[in-house]
Amino acid sequence: MKNMSVGKKIAVGFGVVLVLLVVVGVMSFTGVGRIVKNAQEVFTSNTLDRDLAQREVDHLNWANKVNIFLNNESIAKLEVEVDDHKCAFGKWLYGEDRKETEKLFPDLGPLLKEIEGPHLQLHQSAVDLGKAKSKAEARMIYVNQTSQSLEKVQGLLKKIRETAKSHVMTDEAMLVAANNTKRNVTIIGIVAIVLGVLIALLIARGITGVLKGVSSQLGEAAEQVASASLQVSSASQSMAEGASEQAAGIEETSSSIEEMS
């Protein structure tokens, strides 16, 4: 930068600082965006896990009602939901929530497709239970159909929950990522400040050097002008003395001419 003009030094200095500030801004924006995205994924995953856990409980309650029906001779009609699209899990499985979940967790798609069959068989078994002619026949249906379908549904629900959790960072990992972003932005900010100060000092030193050079040149020029003025003054004095001598000589000549006349 020594051979650069003051204007170029200032332009380069401000350019470097501006670039660093842009880098800090971009890192901050992307870092915050990443943190928000991670938080949304964690929140969605926790919500999904909570909902699926509730669906497991719902099916256990459903199975408990079936058991009460099978073991209580006084209950003649099975009062449970038989439509696999209308139970709480069915509404979720065939609704918009499932589509949103598959967008966020594509790996859950095959598992959600796989659970449709056992879930349908589970509710269809309730229809067969209601049509049974005796509690003994109903118990056989429960053992051969209902319990097996319920076991498959519960197992797939558990697998879906585990898969969703495995694809989302934990709270600790999210905190580490946030701290890393904070650290990186802080480091770049400090570097920008330090470089800005150093560049400012270099520019100030360069300007000071230029001003000192100009001042020195002006001083030398002033000395040269003063010297020239002394020389002109001395020459003028010499010319004046010469003119006086010539005038005196002319007077002497004139006087001699008069004497000769």
Side-chain angles (χ1 to χ4, degrees):
M1 293 181 65
K2 293 182 179 180
N3 298 326
M4 296 175 63
S5 63
V6 175
K8 289 183 178 180
K9 289 181 180 179
I10 294 175
V12 171
F14 278 107
V16 171
V17 174
L18 181 61
V19 169
L20 290 173
L21 290 176
V22 170
V23 171
V24 172
V26 171
M27 289 184 63
S28 300
F29 181 80
T30 55
V32 171
R34 194 180 303 110
I35 292 171
V36 171
K37 181 181 178 181
N38 292 337
Q40 288 176 341
E41 289 184 357
V42 171
F43 175 78
T44 303
S45 175
N46 291 336
T47 302
L48 175 63
D49 185 68
R50 180 196 63 199
D51 291 342
L52 293 178
Q54 183 60 48
R55 300 295 82 81
E56 289 187 46
V57 173
D58 292 341
H59 282 97
L60 290 175
N61 291 332
W62 185 91
N64 186 50
K65 291 181 180 180
V66 173
N67 282 322
I68 293 174
F69 166 76
L70 295 175
N71 296 308
N72 192 333
E73 297 293 337
S74 63
I75 300 177
K77 184 178 180 181
L78 178 60
E79 298 291 344
V80 294
E81 181 60 61
V82 297
D83 191 336
D84 65 314
H85 282 62
K86 292 184 179 179
C87 69
F89 179 65
K91 292 178 180 179
W92 181 91
L93 186 61
Y94 299 102
E96 294 297 324
D97 290 337
R98 172 183 176 175
K99 296 179 181 178
E100 295 298 325
T101 300
E102 289 180 341
K103 288 181 181 179
L104 187 60
F105 307 103
D107 290 345
L108 295 183
L111 291 174
L112 293 175
K113 187 66 178 177
E114 184 180 353
I115 202 175
E116 290 179 2
H119 184 250
L120 174 61
Q121 293 171 3
L122 178 65
H123 286 275
Q124 285 179 341
S125 70
V127 177
D128 295 336
L129 287 172
K131 294 179 180 180
K133 295 179 181 180
S134 65
K135 290 297 177 75
E137 181 183 353
R139 292 189 188 97
M140 290 295 297
I141 294 174
Y142 180 84
V143 172
N144 295 326
Q145 299 180 30
T146 307
S147 62
Q148 295 179 9
S149 298
L150 179 62
E151 184 178 353
K152 290 180 180 179
V153 169
Q154 295 290 83
L156 286 170
L157 283 173
K158 183 178 180 181
K159 191 174 182 179
I160 290 171
R161 292 175 62 189
E162 292 174 349
T163 303
K165 287 181 179 180
S166 66
H167 286 77
V168 178
M169 66 169 56
T170 61
D171 295 340
E172 292 78 8
M174 184 174 65
L175 182 61
V176 170
N179 288 331
N180 289 338
T181 300
K182 178 182 177 182
R183 180 197 61 201
N184 294 336
V185 171
T186 301
I187 291 174
I188 296 298
I190 293 174
V191 170
I193 294 173
V194 172
L195 284 180
V197 172
L198 291 176
I199 291 172
L201 292 175
L202 290 175
I203 292 174
R205 183 179 297 178
I207 293 174
T208 302
V210 171
L211 292 176
K212 287 182 178 179
V214 172
S215 176
S216 177
Q217 291 176 0
L218 290 175
E220 292 177 358
E223 291 178 357
Q224 292 176 359
V225 170
S227 177
S229 298
L230 290 175
Q231 292 176 2
V232 171
S233 176
S234 177
S236 298
Q237 186 174 356
S238 297
M239 290 177 62
E241 292 177 352
S244 298
E245 291 177 356
Q246 289 179 359
I250 292 172
E251 289 180 357
E252 290 178 357
T253 303
S254 175
S255 208
S256 300
I257 293 173
E258 288 180 356
E259 291 177 357
M260 289 175 64
S261 298

